[in-house]
Amino acid sequence: MVIVMKMGASEEQVAAVVADVESAGFRPFINPGVERKVIAVLGEVDVDKAQLADHFSELSGVERVQLISEPFKLSSRSYHPQDRVVNVKGVQIGAGLPVVIMAGPCSVESRSQLLETAHAVKEAGARLLRGGAFKPRTSPHSFQGLGEDGLELLAEAREATGLPVVTEVLDSHDVPLVARYADMLQIGARNMQNFILLKWAGESGHPVLLKRGMGSKVKELLMAAEYILAEGNSQVVLCERGITTFEDSTRNTTDINAVPVLKHASHLPVVVDPSHATGSWRYVPAVARAGVAAGADGVLIEVHNNPAQAKSDGPQSLKPEKFRALVEELRRVAQAIGRDV
Ligand code: PEP
Ligand code: MN
């Protein structure tokens, strides 16, 4: 449940409610920085929730108490009704702001590959540079990424282009290392329910791009986000990257429904990744356009200066000139729904 305080409730009133929540055996979690304080009541205690809600609603300074039936609380709109804006080193994502395009190669492979691609995506209109230094590969024999050398190249590309960097962290032990270089931490589909990693990413205080697991429900994605939010880190962006279905004409199936469903259930920004969702450069533009039309706050596009030679995800990577054309199309789609790129 969440306790909504009256506008202008005093600090003493909030403190008294917090103490009452604690004495009932729950963990209070205050939504900071909003004019009307909202206190989430977290925890599993075997009590009559309706009775408890009645009790809280009679406390001084309380406007109303709302029971939340969903298991996700901090990621829900009941807790935070306004759209959340996530700030990646000055690039703001969410709340109807211009759609943010994040782009770059699947893997950082070399200095020339990364810098060439980074300059190309920047010139085309990308606002975040995304590339992997630690790669989650299905086979241990596939390219695993350059590790810290790759992070250094990403930092160099940020210097050269001014684009903040998004990169994946695969292992909780690497969070401090990756956070030293990256402006936003990506948690990949395969790690969506790696709860220790989620906690560490939350604790880092860095913005997090959380990708939906290929076999995960929207609710499970929101529960995963809950782990990050519960560490006091509100800077979470959700990413629909396609799910596994019986359909095998594409790598995954884009769950476009997830965009409005997530935006209705949660205050967190939503990004669509048509590259991993389709697995084929041919389909990337259409699905990217669909994502923006559906209300996504951003898109993640894999771009490579020479896709034929890419060490990972070449078949789904756009060449820079195709990416440039796509950005223009996305701008027109965004403008058609009263937004921009
Ligand atoms: C990636 O972003 O390069 C990646 C591996 O994505 P996902 O975790 O969605 O498969
Ligand atoms: Mn990839």
Side-chain angles (χ1 to χ4, degrees):
M1 78 184 72
V2 293
I3 302 172
V4 182
M5 300 300 292
K6 289 191 174 128
M7 198 83 93
S10 70
E11 277 182 28
E12 292 73 36
Q13 285 173 321
V14 173
V17 172
V18 162
D20 212 272
V21 169
E22 281 169 345
S23 71
F26 291 90
R27 181 157 86 100
F29 201 100
I30 305 180
N31 185 354
V34 286
E35 43 188 25
R36 196 194 294 269
K37 288 263 176 306
V38 178
I39 303 166
V41 179
L42 305 177
E44 313 259 320
V45 180
D46 194 16
V47 289
D48 184 324
K49 296 269 164 52
Q51 229 169 33
L52 191 66
D54 275 351
H55 163 74
F56 288 141
S57 63
E58 278 157 18
L59 297 177
S60 164
V62 172
E63 179 163 296
R64 67 190 151 84
V65 177
Q66 194 175 337
L67 290 170
I68 309 181
S69 51
E70 303 94 7
F72 49 94
K73 314 283 182 206
L74 305 177
S75 53
S76 83
R77 278 214 185 259
S78 316
Y79 174 65
H80 192 282
Q82 313 87 335
D83 282 344
R84 174 78 67 183
V85 175
V86 169
N87 188 324
V88 185
K89 237 189 165 187
V91 175
Q92 298 197 307
I93 313 174
L97 290 165
V99 174
V100 171
I101 300 180
M102 36 185 97
C106 178
S107 299
V108 176
E109 299 167 10
S110 70
R111 188 165 181 276
S112 60
Q113 171 250 11
L114 182 64
L115 288 176
E116 206 175 296
T117 309
H119 281 294
V121 300
K122 158 87 192 228
E123 275 153 32
R127 299 184 46 221
L128 295 173
L129 173 64
R130 206 221 52 137
F134 292 94
K135 295 306 302 178
R137 305 306 301 278
T138 302
S139 165
H141 311 304
S142 304
F143 178 61
Q144 303 288 309
L146 296 180
E148 188 166 0
D149 291 346
L151 296 175
E152 273 170 14
L153 292 173
L154 283 165
E156 187 181 340
R158 170 179 49 213
E159 277 301 299
T161 61
L163 295 177
V165 161
V166 187
T167 195
E168 178 159 357
V169 55
L170 266 186
D171 186 311
S172 50
H173 295 106
D174 292 331
V175 170
L177 170 72
V178 178
R180 253 204 325 274
Y181 292 92
D183 302 301
M184 181 181 221
L185 304 177
Q186 173 176 319
I187 296 199
R190 291 155 191 80
N191 264 325
M192 189 202 84
Q193 286 188 317
N194 181 337
F195 301 117
I196 304 293
L197 177 60
L198 295 172
K199 284 188 192 184
W200 275 81
E203 202 173 79
S204 76
H206 267 47
V208 178
L209 177 68
L210 177 63
K211 299 188 93 177
R212 178 181 181 180
M214 53 276 273
S216 298
K217 294 180 181 165
V218 161
K219 287 190 193 82
E220 291 163 334
L221 172 60
L222 289 169
M223 289 309 292
E226 195 81 7
Y227 270 88
I228 301 166
L229 298 170
E231 295 301 316
N233 185 344
S234 65
Q235 299 291 288
V236 180
V237 173
L238 306 168
C239 179
E240 166 59 38
R241 48 76 73 207
I243 52 175
T244 306
T245 66
F246 59 81
E247 181 52 60
D248 62 0
S249 54
T250 50
R251 183 174 175 185
N252 291 288
T253 299
T254 316
D255 179 9
I256 205 77
N257 299 2
V259 178
V261 169
L262 284 167
K263 302 235 30 127
H264 176 69
S266 176
H267 49 92
L268 298 171
V270 177
V271 159
V272 167
D273 168 359
S275 303
H276 295 88
T278 65
S280 167
W281 62 268
R282 194 181 297 281
Y283 308 128
V284 165
V287 176
R289 296 191 300 262
V292 172
D297 301 295
V299 290
L300 188 170
I301 312 277
E302 287 192 337
V303 180
H304 197 289
N305 60 336
N306 185 0
Q309 307 235 303
K311 292 192 175 168
S312 64
D313 288 349
Q316 69 196 33
S317 298
L318 295 188
K319 291 182 181 161
E321 60 269 22
K322 286 231 159 45
F323 175 69
R324 205 173 313 123
L326 173 59
V327 172
E328 287 319 308
E329 290 174 7
L330 295 181
R331 181 164 290 122
R332 292 203 294 280
V333 174
Q335 285 167 350
I337 56 164
R339 222 166 169 176
D340 209 339
V341 162

